Amino acid sequence: MGIFSTLNFEHLEDLFLQQLKSLYEGEQRMTTALRKMSEKASSDELGRALTAHLSETKGQIMRLEKAFQLLGKKPERTTCEAIRGLIEDCEEVLDAKGSQDVIDAALIAAVQRVEHFEIAGYGTARNFAQRLGHEEVAMLLEESLKEEKEADANLTAIAISSVNVAAQAA
Ligand code: FE
Ligand code: ZN
Ligand code: FE
């Protein structure tokens, strides 16, 4: 909360580390959410896409751990209100009643919000890493950024080609 902020940004490096911890928190929380959403999906194609992104997410966690290691820091999480809220929205869809096909469209809507959030986070962190001369860390963040963008584009393709069509017919 604003008034009791414990953030201390003396140097860009402090902000960079806080951003990495926030990404780490988000990825950890998303592993559980993605597993549940992949189980909830009725479209096989959507289920496979969510399962594939779950396994990418585990790789992204390992990349962040490698980044902390390269920076001589222990991997740490920080609270992130934004990802908590986005995941709450995912959880709400998991509990939704109604047409399976419309629920699939709702799953995509919720996950794509997360992907865009992660794209913003990885883009910012990659730019900080480059500015600070952490080349190897920047490359790790760039790889995850690319995966998030591909996951997002893949979900758009699945929505347009099948899930939204089925949802409309429901
Ligand atoms: Fe991710
Ligand atoms: Zn946050
Ligand atoms: Fe993602």
mmCIF file with all atom_site columns, all heavy atoms in Angstrom, residues 7-34:
data_model
loop_
_atom_site.group_PDB
_atom_site.id
_atom_site.type_symbol
_atom_site.label_atom_id
_atom_site.label_alt_id
_atom_site.label_comp_id
_atom_site.label_asym_id
_atom_site.label_entity_id
_atom_site.label_seq_id
_atom_site.pdbx_PDB_ins_code
_atom_site.Cartn_x
_atom_site.Cartn_y
_atom_site.Cartn_z
_atom_site.occupancy
_atom_site.B_iso_or_equiv
_atom_site.pdbx_formal_charge
_atom_site.auth_seq_id
_atom_site.auth_comp_id
_atom_site.auth_asym_id
_atom_site.auth_atom_id
_atom_site.pdbx_PDB_model_num
ATOM 1   N N   . LEU A 1 7  ? 9.555  0.163   -0.386  1.00 0.00 ? 7  LEU A N   1
ATOM 2   C CA  . LEU A 1 7  ? 10.480 0.230   -1.516  1.00 0.00 ? 7  LEU A CA  1
ATOM 3   C C   . LEU A 1 7  ? 11.532 1.303   -1.266  1.00 0.00 ? 7  LEU A C   1
ATOM 4   O O   . LEU A 1 7  ? 11.251 2.362   -0.720  1.00 0.00 ? 7  LEU A O   1
ATOM 5   C CB  . LEU A 1 7  ? 9.708  0.555   -2.808  1.00 0.00 ? 7  LEU A CB  1
ATOM 6   C CG  . LEU A 1 7  ? 8.694  -0.492  -3.261  1.00 0.00 ? 7  LEU A CG  1
ATOM 7   C CD1 . LEU A 1 7  ? 7.880  0.027   -4.434  1.00 0.00 ? 7  LEU A CD1 1
ATOM 8   C CD2 . LEU A 1 7  ? 9.397  -1.790  -3.632  1.00 0.00 ? 7  LEU A CD2 1
ATOM 9   N N   . ASN A 1 8  ? 12.748 0.995   -1.667  1.00 0.00 ? 8  ASN A N   1
ATOM 10  C CA  . ASN A 1 8  ? 13.836 1.962   -1.522  1.00 0.00 ? 8  ASN A CA  1
ATOM 11  C C   . ASN A 1 8  ? 14.645 1.948   -2.814  1.00 0.00 ? 8  ASN A C   1
ATOM 12  O O   . ASN A 1 8  ? 15.424 1.027   -3.046  1.00 0.00 ? 8  ASN A O   1
ATOM 13  C CB  . ASN A 1 8  ? 14.694 1.590   -0.304  1.00 0.00 ? 8  ASN A CB  1
ATOM 14  C CG  . ASN A 1 8  ? 15.758 2.630   -0.020  1.00 0.00 ? 8  ASN A CG  1
ATOM 15  O OD1 . ASN A 1 8  ? 15.737 3.726   -0.606  1.00 0.00 ? 8  ASN A OD1 1
ATOM 16  N ND2 . ASN A 1 8  ? 16.698 2.304   0.847   1.00 0.00 ? 8  ASN A ND2 1
ATOM 17  N N   . PHE A 1 9  ? 14.436 2.934   -3.627  1.00 0.00 ? 9  PHE A N   1
ATOM 18  C CA  . PHE A 1 9  ? 15.060 2.982   -4.952  1.00 0.00 ? 9  PHE A CA  1
ATOM 19  C C   . PHE A 1 9  ? 16.158 4.042   -4.992  1.00 0.00 ? 9  PHE A C   1
ATOM 20  O O   . PHE A 1 9  ? 15.958 5.143   -5.491  1.00 0.00 ? 9  PHE A O   1
ATOM 21  C CB  . PHE A 1 9  ? 13.996 3.295   -6.024  1.00 0.00 ? 9  PHE A CB  1
ATOM 22  C CG  . PHE A 1 9  ? 12.936 2.232   -6.188  1.00 0.00 ? 9  PHE A CG  1
ATOM 23  C CD1 . PHE A 1 9  ? 11.624 2.587   -6.422  1.00 0.00 ? 9  PHE A CD1 1
ATOM 24  C CD2 . PHE A 1 9  ? 13.258 0.875   -6.139  1.00 0.00 ? 9  PHE A CD2 1
ATOM 25  C CE1 . PHE A 1 9  ? 10.629 1.621   -6.594  1.00 0.00 ? 9  PHE A CE1 1
ATOM 26  C CE2 . PHE A 1 9  ? 12.277 -0.095  -6.307  1.00 0.00 ? 9  PHE A CE2 1
ATOM 27  C CZ  . PHE A 1 9  ? 10.966 0.276   -6.529  1.00 0.00 ? 9  PHE A CZ  1
ATOM 28  N N   . GLU A 1 10 ? 17.315 3.686   -4.463  1.00 0.00 ? 10 GLU A N   1
ATOM 29  C CA  . GLU A 1 10 ? 18.453 4.621   -4.512  1.00 0.00 ? 10 GLU A CA  1
ATOM 30  C C   . GLU A 1 10 ? 19.103 4.571   -5.892  1.00 0.00 ? 10 GLU A C   1
ATOM 31  O O   . GLU A 1 10 ? 19.540 5.591   -6.422  1.00 0.00 ? 10 GLU A O   1
ATOM 32  C CB  . GLU A 1 10 ? 19.504 4.242   -3.458  1.00 0.00 ? 10 GLU A CB  1
ATOM 33  C CG  . GLU A 1 10 ? 19.017 4.328   -2.027  1.00 0.00 ? 10 GLU A CG  1
ATOM 34  C CD  . GLU A 1 10 ? 18.986 5.762   -1.499  1.00 0.00 ? 10 GLU A CD  1
ATOM 35  O OE1 . GLU A 1 10 ? 19.568 6.661   -2.143  1.00 0.00 ? 10 GLU A OE1 1
ATOM 36  O OE2 . GLU A 1 10 ? 18.356 5.964   -0.440  1.00 0.00 ? 10 GLU A OE2 1
ATOM 37  N N   . HIS A 1 11 ? 19.215 3.368   -6.421  1.00 0.00 ? 11 HIS A N   1
ATOM 38  C CA  . HIS A 1 11 ? 19.916 3.162   -7.694  1.00 0.00 ? 11 HIS A CA  1
ATOM 39  C C   . HIS A 1 11 ? 19.031 2.371   -8.646  1.00 0.00 ? 11 HIS A C   1
ATOM 40  O O   . HIS A 1 11 ? 18.162 1.633   -8.205  1.00 0.00 ? 11 HIS A O   1
ATOM 41  C CB  . HIS A 1 11 ? 21.221 2.399   -7.455  1.00 0.00 ? 11 HIS A CB  1
ATOM 42  C CG  . HIS A 1 11 ? 22.106 3.049   -6.454  1.00 0.00 ? 11 HIS A CG  1
ATOM 43  N ND1 . HIS A 1 11 ? 22.885 4.147   -6.750  1.00 0.00 ? 11 HIS A ND1 1
ATOM 44  C CD2 . HIS A 1 11 ? 22.314 2.770   -5.150  1.00 0.00 ? 11 HIS A CD2 1
ATOM 45  C CE1 . HIS A 1 11 ? 23.543 4.511   -5.669  1.00 0.00 ? 11 HIS A CE1 1
ATOM 46  N NE2 . HIS A 1 11 ? 23.225 3.710   -4.679  1.00 0.00 ? 11 HIS A NE2 1
ATOM 47  N N   . LEU A 1 12 ? 19.303 2.502   -9.934  1.00 0.00 ? 12 LEU A N   1
ATOM 48  C CA  . LEU A 1 12 ? 18.550 1.740   -10.935 1.00 0.00 ? 12 LEU A CA  1
ATOM 49  C C   . LEU A 1 12 ? 18.648 0.242   -10.642 1.00 0.00 ? 12 LEU A C   1
ATOM 50  O O   . LEU A 1 12 ? 17.698 -0.513  -10.852 1.00 0.00 ? 12 LEU A O   1
ATOM 51  C CB  . LEU A 1 12 ? 19.070 2.060   -12.347 1.00 0.00 ? 12 LEU A CB  1
ATOM 52  C CG  . LEU A 1 12 ? 18.336 1.366   -13.504 1.00 0.00 ? 12 LEU A CG  1
ATOM 53  C CD1 . LEU A 1 12 ? 16.841 1.681   -13.502 1.00 0.00 ? 12 LEU A CD1 1
ATOM 54  C CD2 . LEU A 1 12 ? 18.959 1.766   -14.846 1.00 0.00 ? 12 LEU A CD2 1
ATOM 55  N N   . GLU A 1 13 ? 19.804 -0.178  -10.125 1.00 0.00 ? 13 GLU A N   1
ATOM 56  C CA  . GLU A 1 13 ? 20.013 -1.587  -9.765  1.00 0.00 ? 13 GLU A CA  1
ATOM 57  C C   . GLU A 1 13 ? 18.966 -2.068  -8.733  1.00 0.00 ? 13 GLU A C   1
ATOM 58  O O   . GLU A 1 13 ? 18.496 -3.212  -8.803  1.00 0.00 ? 13 GLU A O   1
ATOM 59  C CB  . GLU A 1 13 ? 21.433 -1.739  -9.196  1.00 0.00 ? 13 GLU A CB  1
ATOM 60  C CG  . GLU A 1 13 ? 21.933 -3.152  -9.058  1.00 0.00 ? 13 GLU A CG  1
ATOM 61  C CD  . GLU A 1 13 ? 22.503 -3.721  -10.360 1.00 0.00 ? 13 GLU A CD  1
ATOM 62  O OE1 . GLU A 1 13 ? 23.156 -2.975  -11.115 1.00 0.00 ? 13 GLU A OE1 1
ATOM 63  O OE2 . GLU A 1 13 ? 22.268 -4.923  -10.605 1.00 0.00 ? 13 GLU A OE2 1
ATOM 64  N N   . ASP A 1 14 ? 18.598 -1.212  -7.784  1.00 0.00 ? 14 ASP A N   1
ATOM 65  C CA  . ASP A 1 14 ? 17.583 -1.571  -6.777  1.00 0.00 ? 14 ASP A CA  1
ATOM 66  C C   . ASP A 1 14 ? 16.238 -1.826  -7.452  1.00 0.00 ? 14 ASP A C   1
ATOM 67  O O   . ASP A 1 14 ? 15.535 -2.785  -7.132  1.00 0.00 ? 14 ASP A O   1
ATOM 68  C CB  . ASP A 1 14 ? 17.380 -0.442  -5.746  1.00 0.00 ? 14 ASP A CB  1
ATOM 69  C CG  . ASP A 1 14 ? 18.669 -0.036  -5.067  1.00 0.00 ? 14 ASP A CG  1
ATOM 70  O OD1 . ASP A 1 14 ? 19.547 -0.904  -4.899  1.00 0.00 ? 14 ASP A OD1 1
ATOM 71  O OD2 . ASP A 1 14 ? 18.794 1.158   -4.705  1.00 0.00 ? 14 ASP A OD2 1
ATOM 72  N N   . LEU A 1 15 ? 15.891 -0.936  -8.370  1.00 0.00 ? 15 LEU A N   1
ATOM 73  C CA  . LEU A 1 15 ? 14.630 -1.065  -9.095  1.00 0.00 ? 15 LEU A CA  1
ATOM 74  C C   . LEU A 1 15 ? 14.650 -2.325  -9.957  1.00 0.00 ? 15 LEU A C   1
ATOM 75  O O   . LEU A 1 15 ? 13.678 -3.087  -9.992  1.00 0.00 ? 15 LEU A O   1
ATOM 76  C CB  . LEU A 1 15 ? 14.406 0.181   -9.967  1.00 0.00 ? 15 LEU A CB  1
ATOM 77  C CG  . LEU A 1 15 ? 13.238 0.133   -10.952 1.00 0.00 ? 15 LEU A CG  1
ATOM 78  C CD1 . LEU A 1 15 ? 11.915 -0.110  -10.243 1.00 0.00 ? 15 LEU A CD1 1
ATOM 79  C CD2 . LEU A 1 15 ? 13.174 1.433   -11.761 1.00 0.00 ? 15 LEU A CD2 1
ATOM 80  N N   . PHE A 1 16 ? 15.784 -2.558  -10.624 1.00 0.00 ? 16 PHE A N   1
ATOM 81  C CA  . PHE A 1 16 ? 15.929 -3.740  -11.472 1.00 0.00 ? 16 PHE A CA  1
ATOM 82  C C   . PHE A 1 16 ? 15.709 -5.022  -10.659 1.00 0.00 ? 16 PHE A C   1
ATOM 83  O O   . PHE A 1 16 ? 14.953 -5.907  -11.066 1.00 0.00 ? 16 PHE A O   1
ATOM 84  C CB  . PHE A 1 16 ? 17.318 -3.725  -12.123 1.00 0.00 ? 16 PHE A CB  1
ATOM 85  C CG  . PHE A 1 16 ? 17.654 -4.960  -12.895 1.00 0.00 ? 16 PHE A CG  1
ATOM 86  C CD1 . PHE A 1 16 ? 16.832 -5.416  -13.910 1.00 0.00 ? 16 PHE A CD1 1
ATOM 87  C CD2 . PHE A 1 16 ? 18.815 -5.676  -12.618 1.00 0.00 ? 16 PHE A CD2 1
ATOM 88  C CE1 . PHE A 1 16 ? 17.142 -6.568  -14.633 1.00 0.00 ? 16 PHE A CE1 1
ATOM 89  C CE2 . PHE A 1 16 ? 19.133 -6.816  -13.332 1.00 0.00 ? 16 PHE A CE2 1
ATOM 90  C CZ  . PHE A 1 16 ? 18.296 -7.260  -14.331 1.00 0.00 ? 16 PHE A CZ  1
ATOM 91  N N   . LEU A 1 17 ? 16.338 -5.102  -9.494  1.00 0.00 ? 17 LEU A N   1
ATOM 92  C CA  . LEU A 1 17 ? 16.193 -6.295  -8.652  1.00 0.00 ? 17 LEU A CA  1
ATOM 93  C C   . LEU A 1 17 ? 14.756 -6.474  -8.177  1.00 0.00 ? 17 LEU A C   1
ATOM 94  O O   . LEU A 1 17 ? 14.227 -7.593  -8.161  1.00 0.00 ? 17 LEU A O   1
ATOM 95  C CB  . LEU A 1 17 ? 17.121 -6.194  -7.430  1.00 0.00 ? 17 LEU A CB  1
ATOM 96  C CG  . LEU A 1 17 ? 18.450 -6.909  -7.570  1.00 0.00 ? 17 LEU A CG  1
ATOM 97  C CD1 . LEU A 1 17 ? 19.318 -6.623  -6.361  1.00 0.00 ? 17 LEU A CD1 1
ATOM 98  C CD2 . LEU A 1 17 ? 18.259 -8.422  -7.738  1.00 0.00 ? 17 LEU A CD2 1
ATOM 99  N N   . GLN A 1 18 ? 14.118 -5.364  -7.813  1.00 0.00 ? 18 GLN A N   1
ATOM 100 C CA  . GLN A 1 18 ? 12.723 -5.438  -7.367  1.00 0.00 ? 18 GLN A CA  1
ATOM 101 C C   . GLN A 1 18 ? 11.841 -5.949  -8.502  1.00 0.00 ? 18 GLN A C   1
ATOM 102 O O   . GLN A 1 18 ? 10.915 -6.732  -8.279  1.00 0.00 ? 18 GLN A O   1
ATOM 103 C CB  . GLN A 1 18 ? 12.276 -4.053  -6.880  1.00 0.00 ? 18 GLN A CB  1
ATOM 104 C CG  . GLN A 1 18 ? 10.876 -4.002  -6.293  1.00 0.00 ? 18 GLN A CG  1
ATOM 105 C CD  . GLN A 1 18 ? 9.815  -3.607  -7.314  1.00 0.00 ? 18 GLN A CD  1
ATOM 106 O OE1 . GLN A 1 18 ? 10.144 -3.144  -8.403  1.00 0.00 ? 18 GLN A OE1 1
ATOM 107 N NE2 . GLN A 1 18 ? 8.567  -3.812  -6.963  1.00 0.00 ? 18 GLN A NE2 1
ATOM 108 N N   . GLN A 1 19 ? 12.132 -5.529  -9.738  1.00 0.00 ? 19 GLN A N   1
ATOM 109 C CA  . GLN A 1 19 ? 11.362 -5.978  -10.896 1.00 0.00 ? 19 GLN A CA  1
ATOM 110 C C   . GLN A 1 19 ? 11.561 -7.479  -11.136 1.00 0.00 ? 19 GLN A C   1
ATOM 111 O O   . GLN A 1 19 ? 10.615 -8.190  -11.483 1.00 0.00 ? 19 GLN A O   1
ATOM 112 C CB  . GLN A 1 19 ? 11.775 -5.185  -12.145 1.00 0.00 ? 19 GLN A CB  1
ATOM 113 C CG  . GLN A 1 19 ? 11.453 -3.695  -12.049 1.00 0.00 ? 19 GLN A CG  1
ATOM 114 C CD  . GLN A 1 19 ? 9.985  -3.399  -12.286 1.00 0.00 ? 19 GLN A CD  1
ATOM 115 O OE1 . GLN A 1 19 ? 9.419  -3.792  -13.294 1.00 0.00 ? 19 GLN A OE1 1
ATOM 116 N NE2 . GLN A 1 19 ? 9.360  -2.729  -11.340 1.00 0.00 ? 19 GLN A NE2 1
ATOM 117 N N   . LEU A 1 20 ? 12.789 -7.951  -10.947 1.00 0.00 ? 20 LEU A N   1
ATOM 118 C CA  . LEU A 1 20 ? 13.057 -9.390  -11.093 1.00 0.00 ? 20 LEU A CA  1
ATOM 119 C C   . LEU A 1 20 ? 12.283 -10.194 -10.050 1.00 0.00 ? 20 LEU A C   1
ATOM 120 O O   . LEU A 1 20 ? 11.721 -11.250 -10.353 1.00 0.00 ? 20 LEU A O   1
ATOM 121 C CB  . LEU A 1 20 ? 14.555 -9.685  -10.933 1.00 0.00 ? 20 LEU A CB  1
ATOM 122 C CG  . LEU A 1 20 ? 15.497 -9.351  -12.083 1.00 0.00 ? 20 LEU A CG  1
ATOM 123 C CD1 . LEU A 1 20 ? 16.908 -9.844  -11.751 1.00 0.00 ? 20 LEU A CD1 1
ATOM 124 C CD2 . LEU A 1 20 ? 15.031 -9.965  -13.395 1.00 0.00 ? 20 LEU A CD2 1
ATOM 125 N N   . LYS A 1 21 ? 12.244 -9.690  -8.824  1.00 0.00 ? 21 LYS A N   1
ATOM 126 C CA  . LYS A 1 21 ? 11.520 -10.386 -7.741  1.00 0.00 ? 21 LYS A CA  1
ATOM 127 C C   . LYS A 1 21 ? 10.031 -10.424 -8.030  1.00 0.00 ? 21 LYS A C   1
ATOM 128 O O   . LYS A 1 21 ? 9.349  -11.396 -7.711  1.00 0.00 ? 21 LYS A O   1
ATOM 129 C CB  . LYS A 1 21 ? 11.765 -9.678  -6.399  1.00 0.00 ? 21 LYS A CB  1
ATOM 130 C CG  . LYS A 1 21 ? 13.185 -9.846  -5.881  1.00 0.00 ? 21 LYS A CG  1
ATOM 131 C CD  . LYS A 1 21 ? 13.392 -9.039  -4.614  1.00 0.00 ? 21 LYS A CD  1
ATOM 132 C CE  . LYS A 1 21 ? 14.866 -9.024  -4.225  1.00 0.00 ? 21 LYS A CE  1
ATOM 133 N NZ  . LYS A 1 21 ? 15.099 -8.154  -3.049  1.00 0.00 ? 21 LYS A NZ  1
ATOM 134 N N   . SER A 1 22 ? 9.539  -9.367  -8.633  1.00 0.00 ? 22 SER A N   1
ATOM 135 C CA  . SER A 1 22 ? 8.125  -9.291  -8.983  1.00 0.00 ? 22 SER A CA  1
ATOM 136 C C   . SER A 1 22 ? 7.796  -10.287 -10.105 1.00 0.00 ? 22 SER A C   1
ATOM 137 O O   . SER A 1 22 ? 6.771  -10.985 -10.056 1.00 0.00 ? 22 SER A O   1
ATOM 138 C CB  . SER A 1 22 ? 7.798  -7.855  -9.387  1.00 0.00 ? 22 SER A CB  1
ATOM 139 O OG  . SER A 1 22 ? 6.457  -7.747  -9.750  1.00 0.00 ? 22 SER A OG  1
ATOM 140 N N   . LEU A 1 23 ? 8.678  -10.380 -11.093 1.00 0.00 ? 23 LEU A N   1
ATOM 141 C CA  . LEU A 1 23 ? 8.508  -11.367 -12.163 1.00 0.00 ? 23 LEU A CA  1
ATOM 142 C C   . LEU A 1 23 ? 8.540  -12.786 -11.588 1.00 0.00 ? 23 LEU A C   1
ATOM 143 O O   . LEU A 1 23 ? 7.745  -13.650 -11.979 1.00 0.00 ? 23 LEU A O   1
ATOM 144 C CB  . LEU A 1 23 ? 9.627  -11.223 -13.211 1.00 0.00 ? 23 LEU A CB  1
ATOM 145 C CG  . LEU A 1 23 ? 9.505  -10.067 -14.207 1.00 0.00 ? 23 LEU A CG  1
ATOM 146 C CD1 . LEU A 1 23 ? 10.825 -9.865  -14.947 1.00 0.00 ? 23 LEU A CD1 1
ATOM 147 C CD2 . LEU A 1 23 ? 8.378  -10.328 -15.208 1.00 0.00 ? 23 LEU A CD2 1
ATOM 148 N N   . TYR A 1 24 ? 9.465  -13.013 -10.661 1.00 0.00 ? 24 TYR A N   1
ATOM 149 C CA  . TYR A 1 24 ? 9.626  -14.325 -10.037 1.00 0.00 ? 24 TYR A CA  1
ATOM 150 C C   . TYR A 1 24 ? 8.353  -14.714 -9.289  1.00 0.00 ? 24 TYR A C   1
ATOM 151 O O   . TYR A 1 24 ? 7.862  -15.844 -9.401  1.00 0.00 ? 24 TYR A O   1
ATOM 152 C CB  . TYR A 1 24 ? 10.838 -14.270 -9.096  1.00 0.00 ? 24 TYR A CB  1
ATOM 153 C CG  . TYR A 1 24 ? 11.344 -15.603 -8.613  1.00 0.00 ? 24 TYR A CG  1
ATOM 154 C CD1 . TYR A 1 24 ? 11.593 -16.651 -9.494  1.00 0.00 ? 24 TYR A CD1 1
ATOM 155 C CD2 . TYR A 1 24 ? 11.630 -15.803 -7.262  1.00 0.00 ? 24 TYR A CD2 1
ATOM 156 C CE1 . TYR A 1 24 ? 12.078 -17.863 -9.039  1.00 0.00 ? 24 TYR A CE1 1
ATOM 157 C CE2 . TYR A 1 24 ? 12.118 -17.009 -6.801  1.00 0.00 ? 24 TYR A CE2 1
ATOM 158 C CZ  . TYR A 1 24 ? 12.347 -18.042 -7.683  1.00 0.00 ? 24 TYR A CZ  1
ATOM 159 O OH  . TYR A 1 24 ? 12.832 -19.236 -7.224  1.00 0.00 ? 24 TYR A OH  1
ATOM 160 N N   . GLU A 1 25 ? 7.790  -13.783 -8.550  1.00 0.00 ? 25 GLU A N   1
ATOM 161 C CA  . GLU A 1 25 ? 6.516  -13.992 -7.849  1.00 0.00 ? 25 GLU A CA  1
ATOM 162 C C   . GLU A 1 25 ? 5.405  -14.359 -8.843  1.00 0.00 ? 25 GLU A C   1
ATOM 163 O O   . GLU A 1 25 ? 4.649  -15.304 -8.639  1.00 0.00 ? 25 GLU A O   1
ATOM 164 C CB  . GLU A 1 25 ? 6.151  -12.713 -7.087  1.00 0.00 ? 25 GLU A CB  1
ATOM 165 C CG  . GLU A 1 25 ? 4.703  -12.587 -6.643  1.00 0.00 ? 25 GLU A CG  1
ATOM 166 C CD  . GLU A 1 25 ? 4.348  -13.443 -5.440  1.00 0.00 ? 25 GLU A CD  1
ATOM 167 O OE1 . GLU A 1 25 ? 5.227  -14.173 -4.939  1.00 0.00 ? 25 GLU A OE1 1
ATOM 168 O OE2 . GLU A 1 25 ? 3.178  -13.382 -5.011  1.00 0.00 ? 25 GLU A OE2 1
ATOM 169 N N   . GLY A 1 26 ? 5.329  -13.590 -9.931  1.00 0.00 ? 26 GLY A N   1
ATOM 170 C CA  . GLY A 1 26 ? 4.274  -13.816 -10.921 1.00 0.00 ? 26 GLY A CA  1
ATOM 171 C C   . GLY A 1 26 ? 4.373  -15.188 -11.553 1.00 0.00 ? 26 GLY A C   1
ATOM 172 O O   . GLY A 1 26 ? 3.367  -15.899 -11.681 1.00 0.00 ? 26 GLY A O   1
ATOM 173 N N   . GLU A 1 27 ? 5.578  -15.585 -11.942 1.00 0.00 ? 27 GLU A N   1
ATOM 174 C CA  . GLU A 1 27 ? 5.759  -16.889 -12.591 1.00 0.00 ? 27 GLU A CA  1
ATOM 175 C C   . GLU A 1 27 ? 5.420  -18.027 -11.628 1.00 0.00 ? 27 GLU A C   1
ATOM 176 O O   . GLU A 1 27 ? 4.774  -19.008 -12.020 1.00 0.00 ? 27 GLU A O   1
ATOM 177 C CB  . GLU A 1 27 ? 7.196  -17.054 -13.102 1.00 0.00 ? 27 GLU A CB  1
ATOM 178 C CG  . GLU A 1 27 ? 7.627  -16.054 -14.167 1.00 0.00 ? 27 GLU A CG  1
ATOM 179 C CD  . GLU A 1 27 ? 6.886  -16.195 -15.494 1.00 0.00 ? 27 GLU A CD  1
ATOM 180 O OE1 . GLU A 1 27 ? 5.860  -16.898 -15.572 1.00 0.00 ? 27 GLU A OE1 1
ATOM 181 O OE2 . GLU A 1 27 ? 7.344  -15.562 -16.465 1.00 0.00 ? 27 GLU A OE2 1
ATOM 182 N N   . GLN A 1 28 ? 5.844  -17.890 -10.377 1.00 0.00 ? 28 GLN A N   1
ATOM 183 C CA  . GLN A 1 28 ? 5.537  -18.930 -9.381  1.00 0.00 ? 28 GLN A CA  1
ATOM 184 C C   . GLN A 1 28 ? 4.035  -19.096 -9.237  1.00 0.00 ? 28 GLN A C   1
ATOM 185 O O   . GLN A 1 28 ? 3.500  -20.202 -9.244  1.00 0.00 ? 28 GLN A O   1
ATOM 186 C CB  . GLN A 1 28 ? 6.125  -18.549 -8.006  1.00 0.00 ? 28 GLN A CB  1
ATOM 187 C CG  . GLN A 1 28 ? 7.631  -18.418 -7.995  1.00 0.00 ? 28 GLN A CG  1
ATOM 188 C CD  . GLN A 1 28 ? 8.350  -19.738 -7.828  1.00 0.00 ? 28 GLN A CD  1
ATOM 189 O OE1 . GLN A 1 28 ? 7.722  -20.799 -7.796  1.00 0.00 ? 28 GLN A OE1 1
ATOM 190 N NE2 . GLN A 1 28 ? 9.666  -19.696 -7.740  1.00 0.00 ? 28 GLN A NE2 1
ATOM 191 N N   . ARG A 1 29 ? 3.338  -17.970 -9.099  1.00 0.00 ? 29 ARG A N   1
ATOM 192 C CA  . ARG A 1 29 ? 1.883  -18.026 -8.914  1.00 0.00 ? 29 ARG A CA  1
ATOM 193 C C   . ARG A 1 29 ? 1.191  -18.573 -10.159 1.00 0.00 ? 29 ARG A C   1
ATOM 194 O O   . ARG A 1 29 ? 0.177  -19.263 -10.058 1.00 0.00 ? 29 ARG A O   1
ATOM 195 C CB  . ARG A 1 29 ? 1.326  -16.638 -8.602  1.00 0.00 ? 29 ARG A CB  1
ATOM 196 C CG  . ARG A 1 29 ? 1.528  -16.215 -7.160  1.00 0.00 ? 29 ARG A CG  1
ATOM 197 C CD  . ARG A 1 29 ? 0.903  -14.853 -6.928  1.00 0.00 ? 29 ARG A CD  1
ATOM 198 N NE  . ARG A 1 29 ? 1.004  -14.421 -5.550  1.00 0.00 ? 29 ARG A NE  1
ATOM 199 C CZ  . ARG A 1 29 ? 0.025  -14.527 -4.653  1.00 0.00 ? 29 ARG A CZ  1
ATOM 200 N NH1 . ARG A 1 29 ? -1.121 -15.072 -5.002  1.00 0.00 ? 29 ARG A NH1 1
ATOM 201 N NH2 . ARG A 1 29 ? 0.187  -14.103 -3.418  1.00 0.00 ? 29 ARG A NH2 1
ATOM 202 N N   . MET A 1 30 ? 1.728  -18.264 -11.339 1.00 0.00 ? 30 MET A N   1
ATOM 203 C CA  . MET A 1 30 ? 1.075  -18.694 -12.581 1.00 0.00 ? 30 MET A CA  1
ATOM 204 C C   . MET A 1 30 ? 1.176  -20.192 -12.818 1.00 0.00 ? 30 MET A C   1
ATOM 205 O O   . MET A 1 30 ? 0.340  -20.752 -13.525 1.00 0.00 ? 30 MET A O   1
ATOM 206 C CB  . MET A 1 30 ? 1.641  -17.936 -13.791 1.00 0.00 ? 30 MET A CB  1
ATOM 207 C CG  . MET A 1 30 ? 0.962  -16.601 -14.071 1.00 0.00 ? 30 MET A CG  1
ATOM 208 S SD  . MET A 1 30 ? -0.843 -16.691 -14.085 1.00 0.00 ? 30 MET A SD  1
ATOM 209 C CE  . MET A 1 30 ? -1.150 -17.524 -15.656 1.00 0.00 ? 30 MET A CE  1
ATOM 210 N N   . THR A 1 31 ? 2.169  -20.859 -12.249 1.00 0.00 ? 31 THR A N   1
ATOM 211 C CA  . THR A 1 31 ? 2.275  -22.308 -12.493 1.00 0.00 ? 31 THR A CA  1
ATOM 212 C C   . THR A 1 31 ? 1.016  -23.020 -11.994 1.00 0.00 ? 31 THR A C   1
ATOM 213 O O   . THR A 1 31 ? 0.441  -23.841 -12.708 1.00 0.00 ? 31 THR A O   1
ATOM 214 C CB  . THR A 1 31 ? 3.523  -22.936 -11.823 1.00 0.00 ? 31 THR A CB  1
ATOM 215 O OG1 . THR A 1 31 ? 3.507  -22.632 -10.445 1.00 0.00 ? 31 THR A OG1 1
ATOM 216 C CG2 . THR A 1 31 ? 4.810  -22.441 -12.448 1.00 0.00 ? 31 THR A CG2 1
ATOM 217 N N   . THR A 1 32 ? 0.563  -22.676 -10.809 1.00 0.00 ? 32 THR A N   1
ATOM 218 C CA  . THR A 1 32 ? -0.649 -23.296 -10.256 1.00 0.00 ? 32 THR A CA  1
ATOM 219 C C   . THR A 1 32 ? -1.869 -22.929 -11.097 1.00 0.00 ? 32 THR A C   1
ATOM 220 O O   . THR A 1 32 ? -2.682 -23.799 -11.437 1.00 0.00 ? 32 THR A O   1
ATOM 221 C CB  . THR A 1 32 ? -0.887 -22.803 -8.812  1.00 0.00 ? 32 THR A CB  1
ATOM 222 O OG1 . THR A 1 32 ? 0.355  -22.814 -8.129  1.00 0.00 ? 32 THR A OG1 1
ATOM 223 C CG2 . THR A 1 32 ? -1.889 -23.674 -8.098  1.00 0.00 ? 32 THR A CG2 1
ATOM 224 N N   . ALA A 1 33 ? -1.988 -21.641 -11.440 1.00 0.00 ? 33 ALA A N   1
ATOM 225 C CA  . ALA A 1 33 ? -3.149 -21.170 -12.188 1.00 0.00 ? 33 ALA A CA  1
ATOM 226 C C   . ALA A 1 33 ? -3.213 -21.839 -13.566 1.00 0.00 ? 33 ALA A C   1
ATOM 227 O O   . ALA A 1 33 ? -4.284 -22.280 -14.001 1.00 0.00 ? 33 ALA A O   1
ATOM 228 C CB  . ALA A 1 33 ? -3.097 -19.651 -12.327 1.00 0.00 ? 33 ALA A CB  1
ATOM 229 N N   . LEU A 1 34 ? -2.074 -21.933 -14.248 1.00 0.00 ? 34 LEU A N   1
ATOM 230 C CA  . LEU A 1 34 ? -2.062 -22.527 -15.589 1.00 0.00 ? 34 LEU A CA  1
ATOM 231 C C   . LEU A 1 34 ? -2.422 -24.008 -15.553 1.00 0.00 ? 34 LEU A C   1
ATOM 232 O O   . LEU A 1 34 ? -3.109 -24.509 -16.444 1.00 0.00 ? 34 LEU A O   1
ATOM 233 C CB  . LEU A 1 34 ? -0.682 -22.345 -16.252 1.00 0.00 ? 34 LEU A CB  1
ATOM 234 C CG  . LEU A 1 34 ? -0.403 -20.983 -16.878 1.00 0.00 ? 34 LEU A CG  1
ATOM 235 C CD1 . LEU A 1 34 ? 1.077  -20.855 -17.230 1.00 0.00 ? 34 LEU A CD1 1
ATOM 236 C CD2 . LEU A 1 34 ? -1.266 -20.758 -18.127 1.00 0.00 ? 34 LEU A CD2 1
#
